[in-house]
Amino acid sequence: MAYRRTRGARMEAHGKNGSDSPGGMMMHGVNLKRRFFVSLVLAIPIMLLSSPMGLALPITLAFPGSDWLVAALATVLFGYGGWPFLRGAADELSRRKPAMMTLVALGITTAYVYSIYAFVQRTVLGMPHAHMDFFWELATLIVIMLLGHWIEMRAVMGAGDALKEMAELLPSEAHVQQPDGSFADVPLDRVQVGQTVMVEAGEKVPADGEVTDGSSSVNEALVTGEARAVEAKPGSTVFGGSQNGDGTLYVRVTGTGQSGYLAQVMQLVSQAQQEKSHAEVLSDKVARWLFYAAVGVGVAAFAVWFAVSGDVGDALTRMVTVFVIACPHALGLAIPLVAARSTSLGARHGLLVRRRRALEVAPRVNVVMMDKTGTLTEGNFRVVDVRAVGKEDANRVLALMAGLEQLSSHPLAASIVSAADERHVHPAAVRDVQAVAGVGVRGTLEDGSRALIANARHLDEQHIPYDRAAFKELSGRGLTVSYLVVDGEVRGVVAQGDQIKPSAHEAVAQLKARGIVPVMLTGDNEAAARAVARTLGIDEFRAGLLPQDKVKLVQQRRDAGDVVMMVGDGINDAPALARADIGVAIGAGTDVAIDSADVVLVKSDPEDIVRLLDLGTNTTRKIKQNLWWGAGYNIVAIPLAAGVLAPVGILLGPAVGAVLMSLSTVIVAINAMTLKDE
């Protein structure tokens, strides 16, 4: 079994794979911190020994032969520090979607190639009036862009591996029946369809199959998202990864590998994640248009200047100046600084943003789909009501039922024992306790009476009278009703159910007030779903859903033009979390759900859904401001650098361009820091 980090460790693992980096490039396997600092060491002497776009600095550290050192350091820096951007540009161009990486690659490649050309002219060929170089711009652009990536990677939480977590839900071995009837432990990948496996009490079911012998209760939370266990008996279907209860089951395998239920869920998650990974962020769109503008204006400037002056050198210098000025120094920090600030503010309120794109999409969300169990409700069963029948009192009923259930690991049994403990009721002494498949549990009391915990179906089958109106009222609220039967007579009733979270009402109300449609999705039954939806004021809900059903509902909404946020906590929610425009996992949920999500609500508070929407709105507003500041410099500087106003005597010199470039970078940095959490 592969090593699994704790959830807390994963939540603190900044700088890992998977978060949205500027330009949409996934920096898999790249140690940005090391690459940034090595590049910084290389860049410092370049910046000290050269000047920005020919700007004369008051102090220079140049010395005889320093040009050779600058050229050598720049070559190493271009290859090492610039490699992520060159690789990212190749990926963008292969998808015919030039964006931030392509724009950066254009700038650093032009700056490097032209600077080497100028260096050869000036130093090797001895032409003192040769064209200026752009080594300073090359160094600053690479360092600033790497810094931007590193800042954002530190701020945005690293994505976990949902598929790995899902694969680890299965045991590594299975007890497979041999030809002689004995059972031997066999590696899971060697289990074949048609074989019979034995699943002992407390073990995980190794593969999909049909129960051929034995009876038990199986927790299939990964299928339905519901904590309640289901009865497993001959003829029942069980799923690989579900948890067996107290009995031993013999299962004929019907699905392994890619044909198994869990493998199909993994495929749904994988497909959805791949689709989302290609989604554009706003900075990519801006960078694409700047790339097209820079190339178009630069080529046009070369053609016009060459036609007017006939000097190839001047025309080339003008084109290169346009390309270099288009380098997004400000854009390189515009988004990462906002991301760092917004994720810090979010973390302060228990919102862990794993993918920055979620904050950009949040202001456009108009449908929020929410899982019921664990998201809107507490996710565990509690005793809601205890009623005595006849001469018994409620505490005596609870004591007898706790005595019968105290040795069972069944979720319903555990909640009865827990309720007795909370009320300081000591479980009654019961002997000869036995589980009754499909019914409950029975035993003998101290006075010799026979006690049984049973469901309403058993009472109907045995013609034992009970209050049907009370049963209808309790079950109509989505509660599970159990009866205490002593010597064939009902003595008490216990109703158990999942409790709605206190903040769920306010969260739903605020969503509706904003014009956002809340939709509840659940694997639970219709009655339980309707009761919760009615209580919370949710008009639209779907019950009895499997993971693929939730994915289809999310996709249907997206196909209709809605922007969908999905909120869930279970394995069965993972595909829908990955498919939605924004996937939000409850912090108390499963590892798989957390690793499939874009944002994690650490406090598991439904009201944090609204806080996330507010944070997204504020963040997107600040991002747009910074993009205008960053791109605004390019919008003004590129045409002036090309010489569109040269006929009236206005020509942007490289030195002035360098000053404007630095000024825009400072402005976006200050603006990012003004982001507030309200």
Side-chain angles (χ1 to χ4, degrees):
M1 187 69 71
Y3 170 68
R4 298 180 64 183
R5 292 173 291 167
T6 63
R7 180 175 303 139
R10 279 197 325 280
M11 289 183 175
E12 296 170 2
H14 301 304
K16 301 294 183 185
N17 320 359
S19 52
D20 297 322
S21 59
M25 186 180 71
M26 310 296 277
M27 302 286 282
H28 290 295
V30 177
N31 189 324
L32 286 175
K33 179 179 180 180
R34 179 179 61 195
R35 193 174 292 268
F36 165 71
F37 279 109
V38 171
S39 298
L40 180 62
V41 170
L42 294 170
I44 289 176
I46 295 175
M47 291 185 288
L48 292 176
L49 297 173
S50 59
S51 58
M53 291 189 174
L55 181 64
L57 299 176
I59 300 176
T60 178
L61 300 180
F63 54 85
S66 62
D67 285 353
W68 287 90
L69 178 60
V70 169
L73 291 173
T75 299
V76 177
L77 178 61
F78 176 72
Y80 179 75
W83 171 246
F85 309 108
L86 299 174
R87 185 182 61 182
D91 177 64
E92 290 176 352
L93 292 174
S94 69
R95 291 186 282 112
R96 299 181 181 180
K97 286 189 174 183
M100 185 69 78
M101 296 299 102
T102 308
L103 185 58
V104 175
L106 172 67
I108 64 175
T109 302
T110 301
Y112 175 72
V113 172
Y114 187 80
S115 297
I116 291 296
Y117 164 70
F119 165 75
V120 171
Q121 279 193 319
R122 183 176 60 251
T123 306
V124 179
L125 301 181
M127 300 170 62
H129 300 294
H131 303 292
M132 66 178 181
D133 61 60
F134 293 95
F135 286 129
W136 193 92
E137 287 70 32
L138 170 71
T140 55
L141 180 58
I142 289 177
V143 169
I144 286 177
M145 292 303 296
L146 285 175
L147 175 62
H149 277 77
W150 183 39
I151 288 174
E152 187 171 0
M153 289 294 183
R154 281 174 55 86
V156 178
M157 186 183 161
D161 190 343
L163 300 182
K164 177 184 175 183
E165 296 284 356
M166 206 170 292
E168 291 178 352
L169 293 171
L170 294 173
S172 59
E173 294 181 328
H175 312 306
V176 179
Q177 189 174 34
Q178 303 302 301
D180 62 359
S182 63
F183 287 86
D185 290 344
V186 174
L188 189 60
D189 57 6
R190 290 173 52 190
V191 175
Q192 300 177 7
V193 173
Q195 291 182 321
T196 297
V197 298
M198 177 177 62
V199 187
E200 296 181 329
E203 292 185 338
K204 289 184 177 180
V205 178
D208 294 5
E210 179 182 338
V211 177
T212 59
D213 192 13
S215 63
S216 182
S217 60
V218 177
N219 188 330
E220 295 184 345
L222 81 161
V223 183
T224 65
E226 305 307 315
R228 69 182 61 174
V230 298
E231 178 187 357
K233 58 184 180 180
S236 300
T237 298
V238 292
F239 298 96
S242 54
Q243 188 79 39
N244 187 23
D246 297 329
T248 297
L249 296 175
Y250 296 89
V251 179
R252 182 176 59 82
V253 176
T254 59
T256 62
Q258 295 303 311
S259 65
Y261 164 81
L262 198 58
Q264 295 173 24
V265 175
M266 291 169 65
Q267 185 177 12
L268 289 173
V269 173
S270 178
Q271 290 173 347
Q273 287 181 334
Q274 289 175 15
E275 175 186 300
K276 187 176 290 187
S277 69
H278 293 304
E280 285 187 309
V281 291
L282 189 57
S283 57
D284 286 342
K285 297 178 182 179
V286 173
R288 174 179 297 119
W289 288 110
L290 283 178
F291 171 76
Y292 288 140
V295 172
V297 174
V299 172
F302 176 86
V304 172
W305 278 89
F306 178 70
V308 172
S309 66
D311 188 328
V312 176
D314 286 344
L316 184 62
T317 299
R318 191 52 50 189
M319 180 180 72
V320 171
T321 301
V322 169
F323 287 166
V324 174
I325 281 180
C327 294
H329 285 71
L331 289 181
L333 288 178
I335 308 304
L337 288 176
V338 174
R341 176 68 174 166
S342 63
T343 50
S344 175
L345 293 174
R348 189 180 303 169
H349 295 290
L351 307 174
L352 290 186
V353 181
R354 299 163 60 83
R355 297 176 181 91
R356 181 245 302 169
R357 176 183 171 277
L359 295 177
E360 294 186 20
V361 176
R364 297 187 282 113
V365 168
N366 65 333
V367 175
V368 175
M369 293 183 158
M370 297 169 283
D371 176 53
K372 176 180 74 68
T373 307
T375 301
L376 295 172
T377 66
E378 298 292 349
N380 50 61
F381 281 89
R382 296 177 59 85
V383 172
V384 177
D385 198 355
V386 180
R387 300 181 183 181
V389 178
K391 300 178 181 179
E392 301 287 358
D393 62 51
N395 282 346
R396 175 62 178 169
V397 168
L398 192 57
L400 292 173
M401 296 184 78
L404 287 164
E405 298 281 27
Q406 61 183 337
L407 298 180
S408 174
S409 60
H410 193 289
L412 296 180
S415 71
I416 290 176
V417 175
S418 177
D421 183 61
E422 291 173 1
R423 302 185 188 191
H424 304 291
V425 173
H426 295 289
V430 183
R431 66 179 186 274
D432 302 328
V433 176
Q434 293 179 325
V436 182
V439 178
V441 62
R442 67 186 175 193
T444 304
L445 304 182
E446 284 185 306
D447 61 3
S449 301
R450 302 290 293 175
L452 170 71
I453 295 178
N455 51 37
R457 183 182 63 185
H458 178 75
L459 300 186
D460 289 333
E461 292 174 351
Q462 299 300 316
H463 305 292
I464 299 174
Y466 64 98
D467 189 339
R468 297 178 184 275
F471 172 76
K472 185 176 180 180
E473 180 260 325
L474 292 171
S475 59
R477 290 160 51 191
L479 302 176
T480 298
V481 183
S482 301
Y483 292 88
L484 172 65
V485 181
V486 179
D487 290 338
E489 181 182 348
V490 173
R491 296 290 184 84
V493 183
V494 166
Q496 297 161 275
D498 198 2
Q499 299 297 293
I500 295 175
K501 292 182 178 179
S503 61
H505 297 82
E506 182 62 24
V508 171
Q510 290 191 44
L511 290 176
K512 295 174 73 172
R514 294 166 183 243
I516 297 174
V517 179
V519 180
M520 188 179 75
L521 309 180
T522 180
D524 208 348
N525 61 69
E526 181 86 10
R530 186 178 302 279
V532 173
R534 183 172 59 246
T535 301
L536 294 177
I538 296 177
D539 300 319
E540 185 176 347
F541 70 91
R542 298 289 187 275
L545 301 178
L546 295 175
Q548 56 267 36
D549 300 324
K550 293 185 178 183
V551 171
K552 289 178 182 178
L553 290 171
V554 169
Q555 191 60 51
Q556 286 173 5
R557 283 285 192 171
R558 295 185 66 192
D559 291 342
D562 292 319
V563 179
V564 180
M565 174 188 289
M566 173 68 194
V567 187
D569 73 320
I571 297 162
N572 65 314
D573 299 318
L577 292 174
R579 176 68 65 181
D581 294 287
I582 303 177
V584 179
I586 295 297
T590 64
D591 295 344
V592 174
I594 289 173
D595 287 342
S596 301
D598 303 306
V599 181
V600 179
L601 307 184
V602 177
K603 296 184 291 186
S604 304
D605 184 354
E607 274 196 283
D608 283 342
I609 298 171
V610 179
R611 296 187 182 96
L612 172 60
L613 294 173
D614 288 338
L615 180 64
T617 298
N618 295 337
T619 299
T620 301
R621 183 187 304 117
K622 192 63 65 175
I623 285 175
K624 289 179 178 179
Q625 292 173 1
N626 266 7
L627 286 175
W628 273 111
W629 278 112
Y633 153 77
N634 298 76
I635 293 171
V636 173
I638 289 176
L640 292 180
V644 295
L645 297 182
V648 297
I650 300 176
L651 182 64
L652 179 66
V656 178
V659 173
L660 292 177
M661 182 189 301
S662 301
L663 182 61
S664 65
T665 303
V666 172
I667 290 174
V668 299
I670 294 175
N671 190 49
M673 293 301 102
T674 62
L675 176 65
K676 304 296 183 182
D677 56 358
E678 296 180 356

